Amino acid sequence: MAINKEACILVDKSILIAEDDDLAAIVLHNELTRLGYQCFRTSTGQQTLDFFSGLRKIHLILLDMVFSDFTGPLVCRALRQQANAVPILGLTAFPTDRYSHALSLFGAQGLMSKSAYRELIPCIRRIIQGHPMPGFEPVDSAIIRLSNTKQVLSSLSVTEEKVVLLRINGFSNAQIAEYLGNKPSTVRKHWQNITYKLRCNNADQACRIWESQL
């Protein structure tokens, strides 16, 4: 039997596939294990955060941008504020410009379209080796930057942060309501709470204040 030298070299590397789509997760798992990576799987944002309560050694997180409970950027931010130093590569089926700004703010090392399959494996290798994609920063500097985040952000609830982040990413109130499974009136109530907590007059000002803290 021929020996897969590449697999032998990479067998000690482990990857967390944080992906809510079962088929996409299976495809990634099969390809990565074929190359010698050890793979784990989570399917929600909370599972991804809870995964690191154990002592597993992970070399990379492949992070979906849409979960049933959190957006990918918020999961990324939570991990970095916990001083989690595992490199993060975001994956999305949507245009990458929808999430690239937020994901770079929150300390990821790259973002790729799920359709860019040929570029995925080389990108994984580069990021594991410590080379972020253009426009993204190394893990250590991201952790330091986010550790200095001003306390004003802590006044927002998780749901309120989602509302702000979705607005920054171009969602209308109607789209935010649909994404969260809320009524439009509930989203308007969230904005009332957000603008009150951030001491501003409207949603646009709230978004600018929120981004300025990062």
Side-chain angles (χ1 to χ4, degrees):
M1 178 184 296
I3 297 176
N4 186 332
K5 295 181 179 179
E6 182 178 42
C8 291
I9 294 172
L10 298 176
V11 71
D12 64 333
K13 302 298 183 183
S14 55
I15 294 177
L16 174 61
I17 302 170
E19 170 62 67
D20 75 338
D21 184 275
D22 289 338
L23 180 58
I26 290 170
V27 170
L28 282 170
H29 180 275
N30 289 346
E31 178 62 14
L32 291 169
T33 53
R34 183 185 70 81
L35 293 172
Y37 294 96
Q38 183 181 18
C39 295
F40 300 89
R41 161 89 190 281
T42 56
S43 58
T44 69
Q46 191 60 56
Q47 285 179 6
T48 304
L49 297 176
D50 292 343
F51 180 88
F52 290 96
S53 62
L55 298 176
R56 299 181 181 91
K57 175 65 175 177
I58 298 296
H59 297 87
L60 179 71
I61 304 169
L62 293 178
L63 183 64
D64 194 11
M65 291 295 96
V66 179
F67 295 100
S68 59
D69 54 352
F70 290 95
T71 64
L74 285 180
V75 174
C76 181
R77 179 186 170 215
L79 289 170
R80 291 295 180 248
Q81 290 192 316
Q82 294 169 8
N84 187 304
V86 179
I88 295 173
L89 174 60
L91 297 176
T92 181
F94 297 98
T96 55
D97 59 3
R98 175 176 290 190
Y99 296 105
S100 58
H101 178 58
L103 202 61
S104 63
L105 278 177
F106 293 158
Q109 281 56 65
L111 174 65
M112 292 190 65
S113 170
K114 292 181 180 180
S115 64
Y117 185 76
R118 291 183 179 181
E119 291 79 23
L120 178 60
I121 300 302
C123 186
I124 286 173
R125 292 175 182 143
R126 289 193 297 271
I127 289 178
I128 288 178
Q129 292 169 0
H131 306 295
M133 293 178 65
F136 294 83
E137 65 188 319
V139 177
D140 291 347
S141 61
I143 291 174
I144 292 171
R145 177 173 56 79
L146 287 170
S147 70
N148 294 324
T149 297
K150 297 179 183 178
Q151 290 301 310
V152 66
L153 295 184
S154 65
S155 67
L156 300 186
S157 70
V158 171
T159 300
E160 289 164 356
E161 284 198 354
K162 289 181 185 179
V163 170
V164 174
L165 183 58
L166 290 169
R167 176 63 174 257
I168 289 172
N169 285 318
F171 284 63
S172 66
N173 281 352
Q175 291 171 322
I176 293 172
E178 181 179 1
Y179 182 88
L180 297 178
N182 292 157
K183 296 178 181 179
S185 59
T186 303
V187 174
R188 289 195 294 271
K189 182 62 176 177
H190 285 318
W191 280 120
Q192 290 176 7
N193 293 335
I194 291 165
T195 54
Y196 174 77
K197 290 179 179 180
L198 298 184
R199 300 180 181 181
C200 60
N201 298 320
N202 54 54
D204 288 338
Q205 287 182 1
C207 291
R208 288 195 294 271
I209 291 170
W210 194 77
E211 285 191 288
S212 72
Q213 309 307 306
L214 296 169

